[in-house]
């Protein structure tokens, strides 16, 4: 048996390499946002962090109260909605 190099797989590999090279060229350019957009982007991440911290506190309280199922779900909804 002699190993033959098939042209179809070679053509597919070359086409995929060309496509991947095109994506790599577009990704290497850094995205630049206006300064006002970056300041506005900081607010949602801070809000998300605060939400996460609040949820963590609520989950700890639910665990301390040994709530399960529907009671736990209702408690978490009211706890997250509170101040």
């Amino acid at each position: 048996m002699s190993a033959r190099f098939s042209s179809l797989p070679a053509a597919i590999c070359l086409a995929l390499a060309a496509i991947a090279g095109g994506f790599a060229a577009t990704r290497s350019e850094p995205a630049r946002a206006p300064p006002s957009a970056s300041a506005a982007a900081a607010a949602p991440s801070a809000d998300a962090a605060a939400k996460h911290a609040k949820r963590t506190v609520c989950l700890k309280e639910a665990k301390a109260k040994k709530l399960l199922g529907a009671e736990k779900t209702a408690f978490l909804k009211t706890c997250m909605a509170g101040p």
Side-chain angles (χ1 to χ4, degrees), residues 16-75:
L16 290 175
I19 292 171
F23 285 123
T26 58
R27 288 187 180 181
S28 64
E29 299 170 7
R32 299 183 190 220
S36 61
S38 62
S45 63
D47 185 45
K51 245 183 177 178
H52 178 70
K54 178 69 174 173
R55 179 168 170 77
T56 302
V57 169
C58 291
L59 284 170
K60 285 182 180 181
E61 287 179 20
K63 187 175 182 180
K65 292 181 179 184
K66 298 181 181 180
L67 299 175
L68 297 174
E71 292 176 340
K72 180 180 175 182
T73 304
F75 174 79

Side-chain angles (χ1 to χ4, degrees), residues 4-16:
R4 290 191 170 198
F5 188 68
S6 177
S7 60
L8 181 61
I12 292 172
C13 287
L14 287 174
L16 290 175

